[in-house]
Amino acid sequence: MDEQQIKSGEVSRLFAKPCEFIKSASDVEHLPPPIQSEIAFVGRSNVGKSSLVNAVTGRSTLAKTSSKPGHTRQLNFFLLANQLMIVDLPGYGYAKASKKEVEGWTGLIFRYLRGRPNLRRVFLLIDSRHGLKENDIEVMSLLDDIALSYQIVLTKTDKTSKAELDALVRKIAAEAENHPAMHPELLPTSSKDNIGILSLRQAMAVVV
């Protein structure tokens, strides 16, 4: 489905259909069968992944949220309208976990990204207050290396001034020249204020 052909009514109907939790997996040997088209949310700990999953699906308790970083420690799979699998990945860069735990989560993320044949797009979440960090660039480079399409989603824009947000968008747009697998459109969002949720839904609906 072409992005230009996606209409808001069609997207609304898709996201009005049931979205159910399928399973959690702590290793790639126990993933669901790769049947449906799949998209994944990835980002640093405390970037707001689970909150955004809840906001974009319109279900406030679908993904478990926590004020403490590092809450998501497995791959969590949710099936939307029996057509699109949504995956909430563990956060990376969580400094308060043990080195062994952090290496385990990071390894799980990378193995999943490298080996999932039905994964159509990755949404890389960046906290708009902090911008790109070194480990974000590492994930971007991995996705470039395996030619897996990804799109940057800026989170928590309700906590960022317009001037700061505009500067960050320009900086990331300049960085995009070095990343061939990166989708050119950035998506500013706020799960709290419902900013950018329709645009994110449209980007997700493209892969169905």
Side-chain angles (χ1 to χ4, degrees):
M1 191 179 294
D2 187 87
E3 291 182 63
Q4 299 299 321
Q5 297 175 333
I6 299 286
K7 297 180 180 179
S8 60
E10 295 171 347
V11 174
S12 296
R13 284 191 289 274
L14 174 66
F15 282 86
K17 294 178 180 178
C19 187
E20 58 180 328
F21 171 75
I22 300 300
K23 71 178 300 184
S24 295
S26 56
D27 56 64
V28 293
E29 287 75 25
H30 294 94
L31 303 183
I35 298 172
Q36 295 87 4
S37 293
E38 198 161 282
I39 61 96
F41 288 91
V42 65
R44 288 172 54 84
S45 293
N46 207 31
V47 75
K49 287 188 283 59
S50 297
S51 294
L52 195 61
V53 169
N54 288 335
V56 79
T57 59
R59 292 155 179 86
S60 60
T61 60
L62 184 66
K64 295 180 180 179
T65 61
S66 173
S67 59
K68 296 180 180 180
H71 180 75
T72 302
R73 302 190 177 195
Q74 298 174 307
L75 305 175
N76 294 315
F77 290 80
F78 308 93
L79 183 58
L80 174 66
N82 204 34
Q83 298 179 68
L84 178 64
M85 192 72 81
I86 301 170
V87 190
D88 182 11
L89 301 182
Y92 53 82
Y94 181 42
K96 293 186 178 180
S98 70
K99 182 178 180 180
K100 183 177 180 180
E101 285 180 310
V102 171
E103 289 176 348
W105 301 340
T106 303
L108 175 61
I109 293 168
F110 279 26
R111 287 193 299 275
Y112 165 77
L113 294 175
R114 286 182 181 277
R116 193 66 169 164
N118 58 325
L119 182 56
R120 301 290 179 252
R121 183 174 295 181
V122 173
F123 291 95
L124 176 58
L125 276 54
I126 304 296
D127 191 322
S128 62
R129 301 170 300 175
H130 306 309
L132 288 174
K133 300 295 184 181
E134 183 177 348
N135 42 18
D136 297 320
I137 301 295
E138 290 176 2
V139 173
M140 293 166 70
S141 296
L142 167 70
L143 296 171
D144 293 327
D145 289 344
I146 61 178
L148 180 56
S149 174
Y150 63 97
Q151 189 164 6
I152 288 184
V153 179
L154 302 177
T155 63
K156 306 183 182 182
T157 60
D158 57 291
K159 300 179 180 179
T160 310
S161 71
K162 184 179 185 304
E164 291 171 330
L165 185 60
D166 289 346
L168 177 59
V169 169
R170 289 193 298 269
K171 181 177 180 179
I172 295 177
E175 180 70 29
E177 297 179 3
N178 303 316
H179 297 281
M182 178 177 162
H183 191 282
E185 182 185 6
L186 274 63
L187 298 174
T189 67
S190 167
S191 55
K192 178 182 177 182
D193 292 347
N194 215 37
I195 295 170
I197 298 304
L198 177 57
S199 295
L200 179 54
R201 287 177 174 176
Q202 290 172 326
M204 294 168 63
V206 168
V207 306
V208 174

